Amino acid sequence: MLKRKLNQQKDNLEDVESKKSLPNEESTISDFFSQPLWLKFYNTEVKLNEVLEELTPPPNIKCIYNPIVYASQLHCDYVRRFLSGPKKLVFIGMNPGPNGMAQTGIPFGNVRTVKLLLQLSGSVDKPPVEHPKRPVLGLDCKIEEPSGVRLWELFLRLAGNVNIFTQQCFVHNFCPLAFFDEAGKNLTPSELKGPYKKQLRDLCLETLEEQLVLLKPQVLVAVGEYVHTALKGSRYCQSDAVSVLRLPHPSPRSVNNNDWPNKARAFLEENNLIRFLRNEA
């Protein structure tokens, strides 16, 4: 069922792009059939979702949310609007937060941030199995996602606005899935058990390799230790032309994470990254 829904979404998007790109007299056949970068990127996400669907999760996981599927309108609007070309700097988070991307389909996508700062809107469906303690309300969700508030508001304050920020920067998540146990506790990929944990990491890393080739970043910032460790296995990141840095995760759950905005700003300044945020590199 998931595969059918993903393929239907992909076909609909490709049909829209084809209609938008109907050739004029000066167009070539190759132009007509070429896909925009954002759609190539989205196609890698679709393929990843298909293979992840085949895995058997550990028994303590009762619900798995995939917002790229049920929040596909918002997610595709995000990549369509902000992924028009390669990026010099890419921030990579771990996976959807329950009140962020799990609600909006956008990495670190706190609802207020998505509506006011990213200026995106749209409908969100429901996951096939919804935990009663983790309802998906889309842009009607009233609970703040602290990680999203901290990350996006800092980045956009330093950049000036989202259009300046996204000229050279992009925010993405390593894993597209959110996990909940029977009590509704949010389980991060680093907290998973058994062979599923490694299978998930390896498949997500394989897809990230394709995505990095598309985006061609000079600098990768892993948001948190889990992603930083995973990137050690990346072929793309082994290039001398690519820098891989670690920014502490903005989640209040992280150890010794007081005053994250000021610490993160100092990190960006020390590594000369603010020039990318301001489109000055």
Side-chain angles (χ1 to χ4, degrees):
M1 184 176 178
L2 172 63
K3 185 174 183 179
R4 184 167 63 252
K5 187 170 184 178
L6 286 167
N7 285 333
Q8 182 180 23
Q9 291 168 347
K10 183 164 71 73
D11 291 342
N12 290 341
L13 289 165
E14 289 174 344
D15 183 56
V16 169
E17 286 300 318
S18 296
K19 291 177 180 177
K20 287 168 60 179
S21 306
L22 288 174
N24 54 36
E25 293 180 358
E26 297 179 354
S27 298
T28 64
I29 294 177
S30 61
D31 290 332
F32 176 67
F33 287 104
S34 64
Q35 292 181 334
L37 177 65
W38 76 265
L39 188 54
K40 293 178 182 178
F41 187 91
Y42 177 70
N43 285 340
T44 67
E45 296 181 306
V46 170
K47 289 193 298 180
L48 175 61
N49 286 336
E50 291 175 357
V51 294
L52 292 181
E53 178 72 8
E54 302 300 318
L55 300 182
T56 301
N60 67 313
I61 296 177
K62 297 305 177 185
C63 292
I64 298 178
Y65 289 6
N66 191 334
I68 291 178
V69 177
Y70 63 78
S72 61
Q73 179 189 343
L74 271 171
H75 179 76
C76 288
D77 284 349
Y78 171 72
V79 294
R80 182 190 291 111
R81 179 176 172 187
F82 300 125
L83 203 53
S84 59
K87 304 297 178 182
K88 295 181 179 180
L89 170 57
V90 176
F91 296 91
I92 305 177
M94 182 164 45
N95 74 311
N99 299 307
M101 186 173 177
Q103 300 292 335
T104 65
I106 295 167
F108 294 92
N110 177 64
V111 169
R112 178 171 54 87
T113 307
V114 168
K115 292 195 291 188
L116 297 181
L117 298 183
L118 303 189
Q119 298 182 343
L120 295 172
S121 61
S123 61
V124 174
D125 295 328
K126 295 279 190 178
V129 179
E130 186 177 39
H131 197 288
K133 293 184 178 180
R134 295 295 185 177
V136 172
L137 304 175
L139 296 184
D140 292 325
C141 178
K142 304 300 183 184
I143 304 174
E144 294 270 76
E145 179 80 8
S147 298
V149 173
R150 288 177 166 184
L151 183 135
W152 277 111
E153 291 192 0
L154 173 65
F155 289 175
L156 299 189
R157 185 166 65 249
L158 293 173
N161 61 58
V162 67
N163 293 321
I164 295 174
F165 173 79
T166 53
Q167 291 300 307
Q168 298 189 16
C169 303
F170 188 65
V171 178
H172 181 50
N173 266 336
F174 180 77
C175 171
L177 307 179
F179 307 94
F180 304 104
D181 67 12
E182 189 166 4
K185 179 185 177 183
N186 176 38
L187 301 174
T188 66
S190 62
E191 296 170 319
L192 301 178
K193 306 295 182 183
Y196 182 84
K197 181 176 183 176
K198 182 178 184 300
Q199 293 167 351
L200 177 76
R201 183 201 66 197
D202 290 350
L203 289 170
C204 290
L205 182 60
E206 183 179 329
T207 296
L208 184 63
E209 289 289 329
E210 295 181 56
Q211 295 168 341
L212 294 178
V213 170
L214 290 173
L215 300 185
K216 300 178 175 60
Q218 301 170 14
V219 182
L220 286 167
V221 174
V223 184
E225 185 56 38
Y226 174 84
V227 176
H228 189 244
T229 299
L231 289 180
K232 293 178 181 177
S234 164
R235 298 183 299 277
Y236 184 92
C237 294
Q238 292 174 3
S239 169
D240 293 337
V242 178
S243 298
V244 180
L245 305 170
R246 175 188 175 275
L247 174 66
H249 199 283
S251 172
R253 293 176 60 183
S254 300
V255 179
N256 298 323
N257 207 19
N258 296 328
D259 197 27
W260 185 88
N262 285 329
K263 291 178 180 177
R265 177 168 186 157
F267 164 86
L268 295 170
E269 290 173 344
E270 290 166 4
N271 290 283
N272 196 25
L273 300 181
I274 294 180
R275 59 196 174 105
F276 295 112
L277 277 65
R278 294 176 175 165
N279 193 26
E280 295 173 349

